[in-house]
């Protein structure tokens, strides 16, 4: 972690409000008399909210006095935890997670949006509405990529972001419009995208079977827990020694669907695939890398193509169908006149 220092420019006469002091004292009372410094973290958090999103040095001294601590001990704690801001922040302070799961799911695209709209890491926008920093995992990896956005009242998580949905989110925050926290796609909490499919017979394994060990050759059971279709007569027959051999995987060549590839953008300039809702800069780059440059190519996908493309670009199964890429691709191809 890089060194974190107090802001060079500090307010002249900052004092904690009466309400903040009262809250801090409530925390102090929770601890035995000689352990009051245990209230330091909540006290710093209350002071940060009281000061508009950051902790001025004067607040650190007041807290040190209230908890009977040397100021240097307070400084040590506040400079260690990145949840405490040591410089003034924007009205909406964005902490963008850049740890591996969020990074794999496109946090780099979100960082580009922040750099373009606000400035380099740690900047506050000119109008004072937005500021941002990159942080480590915020514990919502199942909904990666995500950001925590704080204002004087709330600290909310915004999840399942794409560059496009993030732009819309920031527009709404700047415009003072309410934005629902949580997933920014159709997903409910951290449930599977496209709704629950486990045990419904619609999941990716619905047509697979599990073979019971030591059972007669044809006895099989659905992986969803369905009962065996043949009864085992253990009284009369010894169980077969081996079960049926696993199905032979189809060769790659035979399974290859007919995605319409090109060796390069052979039909003029590539289409702006980001016009398709659900395709951001990352997916566009991935698709181009796989030889897909035009709306007409996407508009021609069949089910097998979609399945393979989802694997190729590491997309969540069902996403392409849900976002109707094929329908959008057909429509946009008509507009560009490149129907394939
Ligand atoms: S890696 Fe981003 S929330 Fe965990």
């Amino acid at each position: 972690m890089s060194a974190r220092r107090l802001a060079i420019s500090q307010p002249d006469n900052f004092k904690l409000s009466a309400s903040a002091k009262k809250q801090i004292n409530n925390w102090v009372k929770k601890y035995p008399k000689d352990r009051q410094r245990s209230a330091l973290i909540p006290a710093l958090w209350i002071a940060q909210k009281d000061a508009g999103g950051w902790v001025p040095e004067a607040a650190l001294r007041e807290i040190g006095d209230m908890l009977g601590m040397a100021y240097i001990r307070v400084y040590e704690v506040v400079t260690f935890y990145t949840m405490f801001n040591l410089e003034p922040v924007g009205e909406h302070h964005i902490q963008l997670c850049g740890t591996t799961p969020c990074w794999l799911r496109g946090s780099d695209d979100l960082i580009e949006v922040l750099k373009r709209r606000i400035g380099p890491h740690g900047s506050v926008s000119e109008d004072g509405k937005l500021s941002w920093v990159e942080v480590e995992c915020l514990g919502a990896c199942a909904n990666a990529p995500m950001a925590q956005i704080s204002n004087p009242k709330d600290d909310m998580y915004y999840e399942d972001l794409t560059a496009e949905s993030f732009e819309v989110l920031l527009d709404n925050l700047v415009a003072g419009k309410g934005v629902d926290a949580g997933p920014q796609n159709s997903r409910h909490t951290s449930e599977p995208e496209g709704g629950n499919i486990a045990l419904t017979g619609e999941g990716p394994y619905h047509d697979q079977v599990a073979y019971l060990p030591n059972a007669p050759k044809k006895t099989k059971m659905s992986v969803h827990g369905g009962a065996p279709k043949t009864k085992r007569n253990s009284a009369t027959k010894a169980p077969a020694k081996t079960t049926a051999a696993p199905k032979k995987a189809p060769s790659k060549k035979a399974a290859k669907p007919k995605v319409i590839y090109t060796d390069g953008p052979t039909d003029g300039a590539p289409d702006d695939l980001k016009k398709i809702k659900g395709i951001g800069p990352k997916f566009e780059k991935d698709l181009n890398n796989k030889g897909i440059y035009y709306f007409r190519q996407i508009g021609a996908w069949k089910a097998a193509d979609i399945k393979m493309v989802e694997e190729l670009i590491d997309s969540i199964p069902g996403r392409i169908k849900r976002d109707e890429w094929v329908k959008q691709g057909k429509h946009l191809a008509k507009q560009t006149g490149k129907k394939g």
Side-chain angles (χ1 to χ4, degrees), residues 97-102 137-141 144 146:
C97 175
T99 304
T100 310
C102 281
C137 178
L138 290 170
C141 324
M146 59 77 62

Side-chain angles (χ1 to χ4, degrees), residues 8-21:
I8 292 172
S9 175
Q10 294 282 340
D12 290 334
N13 297 308
F14 179 83
K15 284 204 179 315
L16 288 171
S17 68
S19 153
K21 283 187 182 172

Side-chain angles (χ1 to χ4, degrees), residues 50-180:
D50 196 44
W54 70 294
V55 202
E57 201 237 355
L60 303 179
R61 290 174 184 265
E62 271 192 275
I63 289 171
D65 291 339
M66 290 176 80
L67 304 186
M69 292 176 70
Y71 298 149
I72 185 63
R73 297 283 173 241
V74 183
Y75 295 168
E76 283 169 354
V77 172
V78 80
T79 54
F80 179 80
Y81 290 105
T82 54
M83 62 196 265
F84 298 121
N85 302 312
L86 305 179
E87 305 255 1
V89 296
E91 192 182 315
H92 303 280
H93 181 57
I94 301 155
Q95 296 180 62
L96 186 89
C97 175
T99 304
T100 310
C102 281
W103 175 69
L104 287 169
R105 300 272 297 150
S107 64
D108 277 355
D109 296 340
L110 308 182
I111 287 176
E112 287 309 312
V113 171
L114 291 170
K115 282 183 180 167
R116 180 167 42 78
R117 294 188 57 137
I118 305 174
H121 182 268
S123 300
V124 181
S125 61
E126 278 179 13
D127 61 4
K129 298 264 186 187
L130 303 172
S131 59
W132 81 279
V133 288
E134 182 181 342
V135 295
E136 298 300 333
C137 178
L138 290 170
C141 324
N143 292 77
M146 59 77 62
Q148 175 180 315
I149 304 183
S150 304
N151 62 40
K153 289 185 190 157
D154 293 321
D155 303 274
M156 306 301 279
Y157 277 15
Y158 297 85
E159 302 158 323
D160 294 303
L161 293 164
T162 61
E164 292 75 20
S165 63
F166 199 34
E167 296 264 17
V168 174
L169 170 60
L170 298 180
D171 285 342
N172 286 333
L173 290 177
V174 169
K177 294 181 186 166
V179 184
D180 288 336

